Amino acid sequence: MNQPSVYSYSQIIDAAFDLIREKGWMGVTTRAIANKIGCSTMPIYSHVNSVDELEKALRQKARELLKEFQQHRYTEHVLLNLAFGYVVFARDEKNLFRFLYMEKPDQVDLEDVAGMKDKFYREFSENSEEVKAFWELKSSGQEALVQYTWIFTHGLAMLVNSGALGSYSDEKILQLLMNAGEAFYLWGIQKEGNGNENK
Amino acid sequence: MNQPSVYSYSQIIDAAFDLIREKGWMGVTTRAIANKIGCSTMPIYSHVNSVDELEKALRQKARELLKEFQQHRYTEHVLLNLAFGYVVFARDEKNLFRFLYMEKPDQVDLEDVAGMKDKFYREFSENSEEVKAFWELKSSGQEALVQYTWIFTHGLAMLVNSGALGSYSDEKILQLLMNAGEAFYLWGIQKEGNGNENK
DNA sequence: CCTCCTATATAACTAATGTTATATTATATA
DNA sequence: TATATAATATAACATTAGTTATATAGGAGG
């Protein structure tokens, strides 16, 4: 190549990413990115074909950060860690969470959201030693437990994100998630005891 | 007055409301409203000072429709009706739900969201005959039940709205809500039996 | 029937945004 | 060192939005 780029691709992505965190997706414009870097808008277009393309890259980056939140070992329970990380991400990275799941519901990667349920399930299964009780449930009960926990987690994340529940500490969030999980587990056990499999 | 208005306030509000339902809030522009009614943009400004003001009126109208969804007597249980109506609203009025709770999280009426919890609690209390078991719980257990149910309901509404759970029938939604409520109730009973009030 | 008055229509203004055309500048290569 | 080329800056273009200035027209009041 003849000319080396003064401004790198990652520099542009990073600037845009910071803008989302600070002002939300609505704050991300070509001019705002350029201004943050201290250049014109042209270097952006030399690394990216359009803002739509930029948005996709940013969604991926945001999902990667969310994954970090979820993979942290807060507790011994992998399922709880996934849920807790999700809620804390929603609380501490408000604009990123909104960017991913709220501001543009049509462009939400449904694979991603729906896949979270499967992820829960998979991770949970692979760490059976940690939560032996889980395996006392029949298959349908297991699936229900995971699904209900995921619904609860998602609701908690949304409410914590919007501030509708006031400010929630790590401890409060953990307690809520553990209680809900316990409740769903108890329900599953009792249901199976009564013999009626699926209503 | 000298001249009667050709276009009424409610005509404008209704047109804008329909636009939200069809295309979401992003589809609501002064020109789009005018086009729907078949007039210019001026009649809008003769009834409303700005689009911000229009938006407030639309939020109120949307909340009123949500209230209708929630006040319908689907079942004998008022609490269940409130939750079910909320989820069905999220499912069947996707754009209105997004307008109220997702697209602009900063402008969500937090009183409204937080108040939903209290509303649950109030309505529930006033209809004690219907769910006598509720009163077997201590006060803290009651509050927890309502709060957890509300979190679960909100999560379910969000997921149903985004389509992440596929299409959900009335029956499925009802079943989910009843199961979750049952689970939270069982958990409350068991917790109190064990004597440990709060953690 | 005439004259205002005001609701409405038309058109313009402003601001913001994505994108592109053109100018400029710096550097790799001859 | 000179030239060409590609990266970047500058500036313009197109579109869209809210809003407002001006023109028009149609009915109320005399």
Side-chain angles (χ1 to χ4, degrees):
Chain A
M1 296 301 124
N2 253 337
Q3 218 79 352
S5 282
V6 176
Y7 305 99
S8 68
Y9 175 76
S10 64
Q11 202 174 352
I12 288 158
I13 296 291
D14 289 348
F17 198 71
D18 286 346
L19 277 173
I20 299 185
R21 293 178 59 173
E22 293 161 13
K23 307 183 182 180
W25 170 245
M26 72 170 185
V28 178
T29 67
T30 53
R31 287 171 178 84
I33 297 168
N35 188 54
K36 198 168 201 44
I37 297 177
C39 65
S40 75
T41 61
M42 285 313 297
I44 298 170
Y45 283 97
S46 68
H47 285 105
V48 144
N49 285 322
S50 68
V51 170
D52 281 336
E53 196 177 309
L54 180 72
E55 187 184 342
K56 280 178 195 161
L58 290 170
R59 284 192 186 284
Q60 189 182 332
K61 190 175 170 75
R63 275 195 295 266
E64 278 163 16
L65 183 59
L66 168 57
K67 196 185 281 180
E68 283 183 30
F69 270 74
Q70 292 191 289
Q71 285 178 341
H72 201 268
R73 253 186 106 74
Y74 307 99
T75 73
E76 296 292 306
H77 296 60
V78 175
L79 178 59
L80 186 56
N81 293 339
L82 286 172
F84 182 72
Y86 188 79
V87 177
V88 169
F89 179 81
R91 183 193 64 185
D92 295 346
E93 292 289 350
K94 288 203 192 317
N95 285 325
L96 287 177
F97 186 80
R98 291 171 187 183
F99 171 59
L100 280 180
Y101 297 116
M102 299 176 76
E103 276 170 359
K104 295 192 181 181
D106 287 330
Q107 299 186 30
V108 165
D109 188 344
L110 291 187
E111 285 301 322
D112 194 56
V113 175
M116 193 80 66
K117 196 185 78 177
D118 300 329
K119 189 177 169 188
F120 266 36
Y121 188 68
R122 201 177 330 114
E123 298 266 357
F124 207 1
S125 303
E126 287 169 0
N127 290 271
S128 54
E129 314 80 282
E130 295 178 6
V131 197
K132 292 231 178 63
F134 180 70
W135 297 104
E136 296 175 12
L137 293 170
K138 292 181 189 164
S139 166
S140 64
Q142 291 170 14
E143 204 163 322
L145 174 56
V146 172
Q147 185 188 17
Y148 286 39
T149 301
W150 163 234
I151 292 171
F152 185 87
T153 301
H154 198 68
L156 184 58
M158 290 282 182
L159 290 171
V160 165
N161 178 272
S162 75
L165 297 174
S167 63
Y168 264 36
S169 67
D170 287 4
E171 291 73 26
K172 255 193 219 168
I173 292 170
L174 259 181
Q175 198 62 50
L176 279 168
L177 291 172
M178 288 174 59
N179 289 348
E182 211 176 305
F184 294 137
Y185 170 72
L186 280 175
W187 175 82
I189 292 290
Q190 195 235 261
K191 190 114 194 182
E192 290 179 356
N194 289 352
N196 39 354
E197 184 76 351
N198 213 344
K199 152 83 190 188
Chain B
M1 295 302 126
N2 252 338
Q3 217 79 353
S5 282
V6 176
Y7 306 100
S8 68
Y9 175 75
S10 66
Q11 202 175 350
I12 288 158
I13 296 290
D14 289 347
F17 198 71
D18 287 343
L19 277 173
I20 300 185
R21 294 178 58 172
E22 294 162 13
K23 309 183 181 179
W25 170 245
M26 72 169 186
V28 178
T29 67
T30 53
R31 286 171 179 83
I33 297 168
N35 187 54
K36 196 168 203 41
I37 297 177
C39 65
S40 75
T41 59
M42 285 313 297
I44 298 170
Y45 283 98
S46 68
H47 285 105
V48 143
N49 285 320
S50 69
V51 170
D52 281 336
E53 196 176 309
L54 180 72
E55 187 184 341
K56 281 178 195 162
L58 290 170
R59 284 192 187 283
Q60 188 182 332
K61 190 176 168 75
R63 275 197 295 266
E64 278 163 15
L65 182 59
L66 168 57
K67 196 184 283 181
E68 283 182 30
F69 270 74
Q70 292 190 287
Q71 285 178 339
H72 201 268
R73 254 186 105 74
Y74 307 98
T75 73
E76 296 292 307
H77 296 59
V78 174
L79 178 60
L80 186 57
N81 293 338
L82 286 171
F84 182 71
Y86 189 78
V87 177
V88 169
F89 179 81
R91 184 193 63 185
D92 296 345
E93 292 289 352
K94 287 205 193 318
N95 286 325
L96 287 177
F97 186 80
R98 290 172 187 182
F99 170 60
L100 279 181
Y101 296 116
M102 298 175 77
E103 276 169 0
K104 294 191 181 181
D106 287 330
Q107 298 185 31
V108 166
D109 188 344
L110 290 186
E111 284 301 321
D112 196 56
V113 175
M116 193 80 67
K117 196 185 78 179
D118 300 330
K119 189 176 166 187
F120 268 34
Y121 188 67
R122 202 179 328 116
E123 299 266 358
F124 208 178
S125 303
E126 287 167 1
N127 291 269
S128 54
E129 313 81 280
E130 295 178 6
V131 196
K132 291 231 180 63
F134 181 69
W135 297 104
E136 296 174 12
L137 294 171
K138 293 179 191 167
S139 164
S140 63
Q142 292 170 14
E143 205 164 322
L145 173 56
V146 172
Q147 184 188 19
Y148 286 38
T149 301
W150 163 235
I151 292 171
F152 184 86
T153 300
H154 197 68
L156 183 58
M158 290 282 181
L159 290 170
V160 166
N161 178 271
S162 75
L165 297 175
S167 63
Y168 264 36
S169 67
D170 286 3
E171 291 71 28
K172 254 193 220 169
I173 293 170
L174 260 181
Q175 197 63 50
L176 279 168
L177 291 173
M178 287 174 59
N179 290 348
E182 212 176 305
F184 294 137
Y185 170 71
L186 281 175
W187 175 81
I189 291 290
Q190 194 234 260
K191 189 115 195 179
E192 289 178 358
N194 289 352
N196 37 355
E197 185 76 351
N198 213 344
K199 148 85 191 188

